[in-house]
Amino acid sequence: MKDTIKKLVEAWGPSGYEHEVRALIREEVEGLADEIRVDPLGNLICRMGSGGTKIMIAAHMDEIGLMVTHVDDDGFLRFAPIGGLMPKALFANRVRFENGTLGTISADGTEWAKAPALDDCYIDVSTGANTDAGVGVGDPAAFWREMEVRGNRAIAKSMDDRIGCVVGIEAMRKLKRTKHEVHFVFTVQEEVGLRGARPAAFGLEPDFGISLDVTGTGDTPKGHKMDVALGKGAAIKVRDGGHIVPPFIKNLMVKRAEEAKIPYQLEVLPGGTTDAAGIQLSRAGIPSGCISIPTRYLHTVSETVDLNDVSACVKLLVAVLSKPFEA
Ligand code: CO
Ligand code: ZN
């Protein structure tokens, strides 16, 4: 599983530009699904089983990033955010363009004690030689950092939400057969407003939806007042900023976790949301839940997960999909 995580988190795929990630996931799931297709917006839809209760699983392939808006006379690039970029997490970090060009982010001036405004940040792609970096207005970039493993902890950019994609892939590997009709959807453009999951849910018209995504934790010094902690198991969402999980789905997940002795914790996230919110509001309403992977330092290059939690999420999803989906 670690190899799959490394491959996916190090892939390049800001919102709207998920093609590299989609190709990598396709390689992983080929042969596991009864049918694989790509819908008009680029969601990768993998069906397992047919005819039973229709369940849509969603994990997003895209990552936050930025897009060049202006190149100044000295070659410094200004940019606009793609998704929830935090200026504090940008400074002195590196980004990568699709053509491989690496950039370093800094900000105007020399007073760096405070977080700069996004408008004051720039990307330095200078090489020292008179070469053209080959990037300009309209080109997207994403954070660049290799994954590292420290004991049970894996640290990387884009755990949000490639780790959710890995949970989906591993569940497909373990599920083999299901009485339900399960559509594993690897979605596009979640970070800019659930723009892939909504049309996918409209097209699939599932009975239920489940998203696989990261959630914050409350286990760091003076951190959020939140009960989720790394290493304490799969997080079963109760609510987030855009989604109240229908109680029967939350209770079903809790029941399956207890039956199979899978460690779990309840997630109450004040802000943020996931593809499940988009699915739930699709069509005439599609009841949806979410299995979350607890993650520290979200939307930075050091998103940190516990590998035991990831395994618990895979087990929980398999347990949910292997039994009747009912109250
Ligand atoms: Co995110
Ligand atoms: Zn996410």
Side-chain angles (χ1 to χ4, degrees), residues 49-319:
S50 70
T53 302
K54 211 193 255 190
I55 305 172
M56 172 175 167
I57 310 296
H60 68 90
M61 298 186 286
D62 62 311
E63 65 191 301
I64 56 170
L66 43 84
M67 183 177 277
V68 177
T69 53
H70 175 74
V71 185
D72 78 14
D73 292 343
D74 297 316
F76 294 104
L77 315 177
R78 301 288 165 167
F79 58 88
I82 298 176
L85 273 193
M86 299 180 294
K88 268 183 234 166
L90 291 178
F91 191 71
N93 266 309
R94 272 158 272 176
V95 294
R96 193 162 58 104
F97 289 86
E98 190 173 12
N99 70 0
T101 294
L102 287 175
T104 308
I105 300 181
S106 190
D108 297 344
T110 54
E111 175 52 77
W112 293 333
K114 290 189 305 234
L118 218 47
D119 280 349
D120 295 334
C121 295
Y122 60 81
I123 310 169
D124 181 349
V125 291
S126 61
T127 64
N130 234 345
T131 50
D132 180 1
V135 293
V137 172
D139 286 331
F143 281 139
W144 170 240
R145 193 68 79 92
E146 283 180 2
M147 178 172 106
E148 310 214 51
V149 174
R150 186 176 64 220
N152 285 334
R153 304 273 155 92
I155 307 144
K157 73 167 186 75
S158 309
M159 282 294 180
D160 178 8
D161 183 32
R162 309 282 163 70
I163 198 67
C165 295
V166 171
V167 170
I169 294 166
E170 293 294 321
M172 287 177 74
R173 281 200 182 109
K174 293 204 162 65
L175 191 59
K176 302 211 169 69
R177 273 200 291 131
T178 172
K179 284 193 169 139
H180 305 303
E181 179 172 315
V182 187
H183 295 263
F184 287 87
V185 184
F186 299 93
T187 64
V188 296
Q189 299 193 37
E190 190 272 353
E191 295 289 355
V192 290
L194 324 177
R195 294 179 196 169
R198 280 180 222 265
F202 187 93
L204 285 170
E205 211 176 344
D207 299 303
F208 303 106
I210 297 173
S211 69
L212 311 170
D213 209 334
V214 296
T215 188
T217 66
D219 61 350
T220 52
K222 297 183 185 171
H224 299 286
K225 287 200 169 56
M226 188 175 175
D227 259 14
V228 175
L230 289 197
K232 293 205 171 157
I236 295 173
K237 192 184 292 289
V238 180
R239 64 155 283 174
D240 63 29
H243 181 199
I244 294 171
V245 178
F248 95 88
I249 294 185
K250 182 213 74 176
N251 293 338
L252 177 81
M253 287 181 178
V254 168
K255 190 169 155 198
R256 296 291 179 249
E258 286 180 352
E259 284 165 355
K261 301 196 163 52
I262 299 163
Y264 74 93
Q265 39 193 337
L266 294 179
E267 174 206 349
V268 180
L269 184 71
T273 200
T274 74
D275 276 342
I279 300 170
Q280 181 151 284
L281 297 184
S282 186
R283 292 244 167 209
I286 297 166
S288 296
C290 174
I291 297 175
S292 300
I293 305 95
T295 307
R296 285 183 189 160
Y297 320 123
L298 286 170
H299 286 199
T300 74
V301 294
S302 301
E303 295 179 330
T304 303
V305 302
D306 189 290
L307 295 168
N308 290 331
D309 294 338
V310 181
S311 300
C313 290
V314 174
K315 282 186 197 143
L316 178 57
L317 181 59
V318 172

